[in-house]
Amino acid sequence: MEKKEFLKEEVLKNLGKRIKEIRIAKGYSSYEYFAYEHNISRAQYGRYEKGEDLRFSTLAKVISAFGMTMNEFFAEGFDD
């Protein structure tokens, strides 16, 4: 089995895409409104959706705001 190289930029891009897809699926057309309603910095949240780095504790807060478990969040969009 070939070991796949960890590509930070690719992982963050997928993470941002997943965050954005779930926000939209939850009925929030505006990332700013979602962030405001869940007490997350709007500017920072916008950067997360663009694939910028974020702390694990922040990711956990975002996943909790979606009303999801870690398993549910990572169940899609990270198949490599």
Side-chain angles (χ1 to χ4, degrees), residues 26-54:
K26 296 286 183 180
Y28 292 91
S29 58
S30 165
Y31 79 85
E32 291 174 323
Y33 184 72
F34 174 83
Y36 176 78
E37 190 171 280
H38 293 92
N39 198 27
I40 301 169
S41 164
R42 287 173 280 179
Q44 278 300 119
Y45 183 85
R47 291 184 193 109
Y48 305 150
E49 285 196 2
K50 292 177 182 171
E52 291 190 21
D53 211 344
L54 70 157

